[in-house]
Amino acid sequence: MASPAQIRLRMRGIEKSFGPVHALAGVDLDVAAGGVHALIGENGAGKSTLMKVLSGAHQPDAGAMTLDDAPYRPSGPLDARRRGVAMIYQELALAPHLTVEQNIVLGREPATGGVVDRHAMRRAVNEALARLGDPELHPSDRVADLPPGLRQLVEVARALFGDARVVVMDEPTSSLSRAETERLFEVIDRLRARGVSVIYISHVIEDVRRVAQRYTVLRDGRSVADGDVPAAGAPEADSFGATVIEAMAGRRLDAVYPRVPHEPGEVVLEIDALSGARLPRAASLALRRGEILGIAGLVGAGRTELLRAIFGLDPVREGRVRVAGVSDAGAPPRDRWRQGMGLLSEDRAREGLALGLSIADNLTLSRPAARLGIVSRSDRDRATRALADRLSLRFRDCAQPVGQLSGGNQQKIALARLLHHNVDVLLFDEPTRGIDVGAKADIYQLMGELAARGKAILFVSSYLPELLGVCDRIAVMSRGHLGPARPTTDWSESSLIEAATSVAHG
Amino acid sequence: MRIASLLGPLIGLVLVSAFFAVLEPDTFLSTYNLQTIAAQTVIVGLGAIGMTFVIVSAGIDLSPGSVIALASVVTALALRDGWSPSMSALAGVASGAAFGLVNGALITGLRVVPFIVTLGTMGIARGMATWLAGEQKIDAPPHWLASVMEKTPSHAWLLVAPGTWIMFGLAVVAGFVLTRTVFGVQTYAIGSNESTARLCGVRVPRVKIIIYTLAGLFAGLAGVMQYARLTVGDPTTALGKELDIIAAVVIGGASLEGGVGGIGGSIIGAFLMSVLADGCTLTGVPNYVQEIVIGTIIVVAVAVDRVRSRRRA
């Protein structure tokens, strides 16, 4: 353990409540000077709340923080930045129409009497860029023209421009190619060498192992595990992934991913060289009854576009889809539902659910409980109640707007729509994003039961442990190309990452 | 829950009525005046029924004022040419429905926002009405059509103009369609989240075309009523009426963001508009004050709804 003098940031017993919800119930975090500290946890574990406390966006209810042994209690984000704590958000907070340089200095333009001092600005920006190790960033490039990886570096440069002592990175690699990720890691190494501390939020175990020296796992607003990240080849390195996952979930691995035995049957969905307007590119696959087929890949690899093209939400440029004995080159969603196919959208709020519409209407929208165009409310509510029971879902009233439910329960309603329609082929796009561990386990359990009943599931996810834990076979998508589906036992987290990033490299 | 959502507009209507009843107890509460209000609500009320479908689907229709004028001209021309009153009325309604169909087809076919499409057809319908009428009012024998909008009905047991009863009857039917049919649920779904509707296999363009055709149909019927009231086809009539109609729907609790609203509320909103107009005339308040008051009420109604929906969430 590092001696106190080397601790850059110390957080002790941090608590924060929002009404009855204890978002943080006592978090301890020590970040060494010039160290990379991984902060790991499920969605809703309290990571973002903790970082908002750190950045001054939230005031903690209890607990204390010190920065280089001085009491630290920022009054707001601006104060935190002045003290040297910089945040790099997941949703890039850049102005796309401005140049790299303008973005870096945004809000802190060196000026005399309101007139921007261009020379001082250029000098400071070049200095910040140099500290990144001179990447191929030009101060006059428009941010909109940069690939995502370089945009990320603009954010890092912006943090360095303010002489940051602590830089927080929130899921920084989720949309980066392998080369971009590697470049970011090199930048992080360089920051570390200069004595900057980095808090690295991620749940990609491989990334954590590559870049971090220490880790802390958050669950339900508490720090539940911490320690040194084992070096490659160390005896505990192999079990590190399992240790972290179990700490995140608070239960044994086999309880997180319940296995319901199921046997693959005949092929129900065949995709032949399917190409969309941009993505995917000539993707082919065959999905069997009673099978869960996972699709891994980076954000932007074209996995969502593949599902949307299959389902007729996006136009198909070339190729064929064969389902329920019918082969076509793209049919609208209405036909897909009729052929016994359903899609669970990755974006609940914007597409998956009409949040203002009632629970019952959302659930039955694809197949209203109606005769001669007139809705039978009793039938509709009965169907809703029955499915709610099956998914152990409780709510006051079927007529309640679905937006009033929690994220996990909303997702269950979106999923229940597919069960109500009794489809044979289920297309799941990130079904567990943004929901709590309990709801996740319920969904995994349900997927297993569906497969056991002969349903076929195409399962897109960015969270590798769940793919490895749930799927029978996994295929990897990279830059619109879909690789061959291989049995899950042939894959590991690192080989999936390898496959997801290898083509993207070229 | 649905009854509760009518409470706000209803309280507003009662308050405004009470205000005028206290101010002008003898005239405002007279049978004749109440009959006048009932008859005057018909035009905006019918338009508001159709507009409710449009606004619930997160759309807007700026053409009904012009379509009312067009339908009144078409009805008058048909009568002048010797058509029977019912066939003439039908022609008026059909001209409105045709315009609604064009609105729907343009919105879905060209993917132009409803505001712009109906801004265009607003001008087109007004121009066509003027052209058909030869830039003048069309005098035609109304036959029994005029009795539909008699403030004091010739059958005294009706109490109010037959047109008012027609409006109520259609409101009940439209209310049923909007809340109890698949089409109605799909209308709410499109307004609440069009992507979700599409994902769930709703034929969004088709539903939208029906919605705008319905709105046109109701505007056409309102035009026939306008003819029955004036007994002339007037291409300059109902200027700016679309704003009264939209105001009635919004006062009735609908959200311009879509997904929220109901026929009952819109009818109450229409009554509120005509009570205001009537009361201001009775008390001798100049027109401009009336405009300021109505404008204020719209803003207040929407602001109140904002606060309520925020508390609900």
Side-chain angles (χ1 to χ4, degrees), chain B residues 92-311:
Chain B
V93 173
S95 66
F99 248 92
L101 180 65
V102 168
N103 278 338
L106 289 176
I107 289 163
T108 56
L110 302 179
R111 295 194 186 179
V112 178
V113 291
F115 186 93
I116 298 300
V117 167
T118 60
L119 187 65
T121 52
M122 173 173 96
I124 295 170
R126 182 70 66 181
M128 279 180 71
T130 313
W131 172 45
L132 285 176
E135 296 183 63
Q136 55 190 332
K137 290 178 181 168
I138 305 293
D139 267 311
H143 302 287
W144 55 263
L145 270 181
S147 69
V148 174
M149 287 294 277
E150 276 170 353
K151 290 172 186 170
T152 311
S154 33
H155 301 284
W157 51 270
L158 277 173
L159 300 175
V160 293
T164 309
W165 292 115
I166 292 175
M167 175 189 77
F168 278 133
L170 289 174
V172 170
V173 173
F176 181 84
V177 169
L178 189 56
T179 56
R180 302 302 296 272
T181 65
V182 172
F183 168 72
V185 169
Q186 293 181 340
T187 302
Y188 277 104
I190 289 173
S192 184
N193 190 339
E194 192 171 326
S195 302
T196 310
R198 187 160 172 259
L199 172 78
C200 290
V202 174
R203 282 176 287 191
V204 176
R206 210 179 88 137
V207 175
K208 279 191 178 172
I209 287 175
I210 296 174
I211 288 170
Y212 283 91
T213 306
L214 264 181
L217 188 144
F218 276 101
L221 185 58
V224 173
M225 295 295 178
Q226 183 77 330
Y227 164 79
R229 198 164 74 94
L230 307 171
T231 65
V232 294
D234 183 357
T236 63
T237 195
L239 204 61
K241 214 59 162 182
E242 59 279 345
L243 297 181
D244 289 355
I245 293 171
I246 293 168
V249 174
V250 170
I251 289 173
S255 160
L256 286 175
E257 283 160 28
V260 178
I263 302 289
S266 299
I267 294 292
I268 294 173
F271 269 101
L272 191 79
M273 300 289 287
S274 42
V275 166
L276 271 176
D278 179 84
C280 288
T281 314
L282 282 185
T283 49
V285 170
N287 247 342
Y288 61 83
V289 174
Q290 187 184 329
E291 285 167 358
I292 292 172
V293 168
I294 291 178
T296 310
I297 286 186
I298 293 173
V299 174
V300 169
V302 174
V304 166
D305 178 66
R306 285 270 120 185
V307 172
R308 273 206 323 227
S309 65
R310 217 174 300 149
R311 205 175 305 156

Side-chain angles (χ1 to χ4, degrees), chain A residues 311 313 333-334 337 343 349-354 356-357 361 365-366 368 370 373-375 377 399 404 417, chain B residues 1-2 176 179-183 185-186 188-189 192-193 195-203 259 312-313:
Chain A
F311 201 63
L313 282 167
R334 185 182 179 77
W337 284 105
L343 182 135
R350 257 181 265 165
E351 182 172 55
L353 293 171
L357 206 60
D361 283 332
L365 191 54
S366 71
I374 295 170
V375 174
R377 289 189 174 170
Q404 292 178 353
R417 183 187 291 146
Chain B
M1 216 175 86
R2 286 194 40 73
F176 181 84
T179 56
R180 302 302 296 272
T181 65
V182 172
F183 168 72
V185 169
Q186 293 181 340
Y188 277 104
S192 184
N193 190 339
S195 302
T196 310
R198 187 160 172 259
L199 172 78
C200 290
V202 174
R203 282 176 287 191
R312 249 178 277 138

